[in-house]
Amino acid sequence: MSDSPDPPAPLLHLEVQQVSVVYSNGHHALRDATFALSGGTICALVGVNGSGKSTLFKSIMGFLRPSAGQVRINGQPVAAALKQHLVAYVPQAEEVDWQFPVSVWDVVMMGRYGAMNFLRIPRAADKAAVEDSLRRVSMWDFRDRQIGELSGGQKKRVFLARALAQGGRIILLDEPFTGVDVKTEEAIIDLLRELRTAGCIMLVSTHNLGSVPEFCDQVVLLNRTVLASGPTADVFTEQNLTTAFGGVLRQFHFEHSTIQEHDGRTVRLLTDDERPLVFGKDGHLEYKDREGREDLVRQREEQGG
Amino acid sequence: MNFFEPLQFEFMRHALLTGSVVAALCAVLSCFVVLKGWSLMGDAISHAVLPGIVLAYLAGWPLAVGAFLSGLLCSAATGYIKQNSRIKEDTVLGVVFTGLFAFGLVLHSRTESELHLDHILFGHLLGITDSVARQVYGVGTFVVGLVLVLRRDLLLVCFDPSHARVLALPVKFLTYLLLALLVLAIVVSLQAVGIILVIAMLITPGCTAYLWTDRFDQMMVISVATAVASTALGILASFHLDGDSASCIVLAQSLAFAASFLFAPKHGWLASKRRAARNSAFPSAVS
């Protein structure tokens, strides 16, 4: 892993000030959203579908003009920050046409377009940046692949490499962990931590609540407005999450009836972001009132052969 | 008679040259049309130019100017109606372009003119005038040159407009530029191959090339090569078959597509069948 080639940049600020967004069909997607982040942070953006996460992203990227309020980056309007190529975006897998006739190398080189002259002919520095970025995400060996010929995790890493090659200081990641295996998730998190050390701001929209406390030091809870924002320990609480998600959040209660002696009082929880599958030592815990029915599990096992 | 014998006639050589330029021009743009999913847009614009042509004739303007404005009107009106109604874009496009085309037909039938409707609809490659040919060469060089210079930006705008915007590229400008180049190409091409068939020139070569390669630059080369070869073949065949030249060109392009669909090395029908058979024979070899 090499160090970021960027010289130590001045401390970065992202301020979202009382932003409201009304779409042309009258839908009020975001109301009076306010929070601020400074360089060297990984911030989770958490909320139900339709809570305004992508609207907020679009406002920070300057695709939407807020009907009230403003987004400022280092005290400047978004447009000025975009001209300095400060903002990088890692799209959701569904937004990308994977059949497009471009290679891994081509996609990462697109991160350098801002730094090139208008003919977009790569110089040695651009090639070096692309190679360095590809190596950092361990995708150098795949550089000549067409992008559709990659696994979900590899696809994600290519677009991360593009953000690295761009040298973006504020990196927006839209659902970076969907369709990604655990190993890649860990690799991505490691990379984000490196970027945090280098002083970047990462804003990660995610449904993967379980991993938020693991790698995010700040959280913004969203539901049509900012419900809470700040350090993970203060914001990512059961109470706040219940407010943010209402009745939508799936709950799984571990109570004394669920975890039985015959399971050795240990459980393993497998989740695909949907209802978790919970295993005890003696099989899965799908039904309640297992107490006193230890034989049932054993009987089933014997029948099953 | 020798297959190439028609080339002894000057009008055949002219037709071949003009046809090849039209084919190359359309083939370059067709790569973007295919990747951007603009085939219906191309179809729409090519029909929507008709009222512009008739009105330009009445006003004594160059026909290409009227056609250009009318084509732009089609895409602008579509964009506006889509933004301000609940109707989906392809549906709006269908309503707008058929409306404009019908308007053009009515205008034409009410106009005493030397405009031959069948020349506009089906082209008149063998009788192309020198001034039209010069127009084709000029516009062809301009459009192809501009696209080659800007191809990486145009490709990025097709592939990932969000990233392009984040880099502060002029996405709107590039999108409208591509659209304007498309209209320009349609306008000069339809004098050679006609409204109905110009859309084939703008879709088929790109589709064919897309089946052959996973690299954009190669796709452009293959697209131009198949388009120009099909044009030469089509024009020569039309002489021997005494058939309509534009139809023969498009037919040759369609045959090239059909052959590619079947035999293209990686994305062809045979190759994917073979791959499926191999994977079921060795199910453990997960690709």
Side-chain angles (χ1 to χ4, degrees):
Chain A
M1 294 281 168
S2 61
D3 288 324
S4 164
D6 303 318
L11 193 59
L12 206 58
H13 291 287
L14 167 66
E15 287 159 284
V16 174
Q17 298 167 344
Q18 289 154 343
V19 167
S20 296
V21 176
V22 185
Y23 285 108
S24 60
N25 63 4
H27 176 60
H28 215 129
L30 213 54
R31 204 184 292 268
D32 205 19
T34 300
F35 66 92
L37 297 170
S38 295
T41 185
I42 304 175
C43 177
L45 189 59
V46 174
V48 289
N49 292 328
S51 61
K53 285 181 298 201
S54 50
T55 303
L56 185 61
F57 266 14
K58 284 178 189 160
S59 310
I60 296 173
M61 294 189 286
F63 299 177
L64 285 174
R65 184 182 291 273
S67 45
Q70 56 180 345
V71 177
R72 296 188 79 80
I73 293 170
N74 285 349
Q76 299 169 307
V78 171
L82 294 184
K83 288 220 171 70
Q84 299 161 34
H85 316 302
L86 281 177
V87 181
Y89 175 57
V90 179
Q92 273 190 69
E94 296 84 59
E95 285 175 37
V96 177
D97 175 3
W98 297 104
Q99 295 299 316
F100 217 82
V102 288
S103 68
V104 168
W105 172 272
D106 294 336
V107 169
V108 180
M109 189 56 87
M110 286 172 183
R112 301 295 304 169
Y113 279 15
M116 293 180 193
N117 69 14
F118 80 106
L119 285 175
R120 315 292 180 211
I121 297 168
R123 293 157 303 166
D126 299 314
K127 290 179 183 166
V130 170
E131 176 173 350
D132 181 59
S133 310
L134 278 172
R135 288 193 189 281
R136 279 179 82 178
V137 299
S138 317
M139 287 296 291
W140 175 245
D141 295 337
F142 297 88
R143 61 189 176 279
D144 290 326
R145 289 267 189 102
Q146 193 267 334
I147 52 169
E149 298 167 348
L150 302 171
S151 72
Q154 291 169 335
K155 287 173 177 170
K156 235 1 149 206
R157 283 186 276 159
V158 171
F159 279 85
L160 256 172
R162 185 177 73 178
L164 293 179
Q166 184 191 331
R169 306 283 298 155
I170 295 178
I171 303 175
L172 308 177
L173 299 102
D174 201 351
E175 296 292 347
F177 303 123
T178 39
V180 161
D181 56 287
V182 181
K183 229 182 82 195
T184 307
E185 181 173 330
E186 282 167 3
I188 292 175
I189 289 175
D190 283 344
L191 187 67
L192 295 185
R193 287 192 175 124
E194 279 175 43
L195 291 167
R196 172 167 61 192
T197 314
C200 293
I201 293 177
M202 273 132 311
L203 196 54
V204 185
S205 135
T206 182
H207 284 289
N208 201 339
L209 297 183
S211 61
V212 167
E214 203 177 297
F215 75 100
C216 298
D217 46 85
Q218 306 214 49
V219 175
V220 171
L221 274 182
L222 215 58
N223 195 353
R224 304 283 194 87
T225 183
V226 175
L227 295 176
S229 69
T232 307
D234 303 342
V235 173
F236 208 60
T237 60
E238 188 183 347
Q239 196 185 4
N240 276 343
L241 284 170
T242 312
T243 320
F245 285 86
V248 187
L249 204 59
R250 236 172 245 287
Q251 300 201 352
F252 196 93
H253 282 290
F254 295 101
E255 34 174 302
H256 58 88
S257 79
T258 328
I259 306 172
Q260 296 296 320
E261 279 301 339
H262 56 87
D263 293 317
R265 294 227 172 259
T266 58
V267 290
R268 270 183 307 135
L269 193 144
L270 302 184
T271 169
D272 187 23
D273 275 355
E274 294 292 331
R275 181 173 179 179
L277 180 62
V278 187
F279 286 100
K281 183 173 143 270
D282 235 3
H284 59 111
L285 310 182
E286 72 181 322
Y287 46 89
K288 289 192 168 176
D289 307 324
R290 287 159 37 100
E291 197 163 21
R293 296 213 250 162
E294 295 84 351
D295 290 345
L296 194 66
V297 179
R298 214 157 294 133
Q299 266 173 22
R300 273 199 194 171
E301 207 155 75
E302 280 160 18
Q303 282 167 1
Chain B
M1 189 157 75
N2 184 329
F3 186 68
F4 293 100
E5 210 175 311
L7 292 181
Q8 65 185 300
F9 302 111
E10 204 191 340
F11 74 96
M12 286 303 289
R13 290 200 297 274
H14 265 170
L16 196 65
L17 184 61
T18 314
S20 299
V21 173
V22 165
L25 164 66
C26 291
V28 166
L29 285 171
S30 80
C31 294
F32 293 99
V33 169
V34 168
L35 293 176
K36 187 116 181 103
W38 268 0
S39 37
L40 183 65
M41 180 68 97
D43 193 20
I45 292 172
S46 61
H47 282 83
V49 296
L50 186 59
I53 291 177
V54 181
L55 288 174
Y57 177 83
L58 290 176
W61 290 5
L63 301 188
V65 172
F68 187 76
L69 293 178
S70 171
L72 278 191
L73 173 71
C74 172
S75 60
T78 301
Y80 184 82
I81 295 173
K82 190 208 141 196
Q83 288 265 308
N84 293 286
S85 77
R86 58 189 293 192
I87 308 168
K88 288 193 185 108
E89 185 170 13
D90 63 327
T91 318
V92 177
L93 207 50
V95 171
V96 171
F97 93 74
T98 47
L100 281 169
F101 187 59
F103 177 53
L105 288 175
V106 171
L107 267 184
H108 182 270
S109 66
R110 302 287 304 149
T111 310
E112 292 283 321
S113 77
E114 295 147 25
L115 282 176
H116 295 285
L117 190 60
D118 54 338
H119 285 179
I120 298 173
L121 294 183
F122 299 108
H124 189 48
L125 191 54
L126 297 184
I128 227 157
T129 61
D130 281 349
S131 77
V132 170
R134 272 196 299 276
Q135 215 175 61
V136 168
Y137 303 149
V139 170
T141 312
F142 171 72
V143 172
V144 171
L146 199 57
V147 168
L148 286 184
V149 168
L150 292 177
R151 69 182 187 284
R152 293 178 205 276
D153 287 26
L154 293 172
L155 186 69
L156 176 55
V157 167
C158 295
F159 175 61
D160 191 348
S162 299
H163 178 64
R165 283 167 91 163
V166 160
L167 287 180
L169 293 190
V171 175
K172 263 209 177 113
F173 170 76
L174 288 168
T175 310
Y176 284 112
L177 179 72
L178 189 58
L179 201 60
L181 293 179
L182 197 61
V183 176
L184 209 55
I186 288 171
V187 168
V188 299
S189 304
L190 67 81
Q191 308 186 56
V193 294
I195 282 176
I196 315 261
L197 293 178
V198 66
I199 188 57
M201 311 277 283
L202 275 170
I203 302 175
T204 314
C207 275
T208 305
Y210 189 44
L211 290 174
W212 282 88
T213 179
D214 280 331
R215 292 294 175 278
F216 183 70
D217 286 357
Q218 288 174 12
M219 183 174 163
M220 291 234 259
V221 172
I222 296 173
S223 175
V224 170
T226 60
V228 172
S230 307
T231 301
L233 193 68
I235 289 176
L236 290 172
S238 79
F239 185 90
H240 293 290
L241 300 173
D242 198 19
D244 173 53
S245 55
S247 315
C248 287
I249 292 171
V250 172
L251 188 60
Q253 287 190 345
S254 305
L255 290 175
F257 173 79
S260 304
F261 170 71
L262 288 176
F263 304 116
K266 193 163 138 203
H267 302 293
W269 183 83
L270 264 182
S272 58
K273 287 286 164 216
R274 220 176 281 148
R275 200 160 44 234
R278 203 169 43 233
N279 284 350
S280 62
F282 304 103
S284 58
V286 178
S287 60

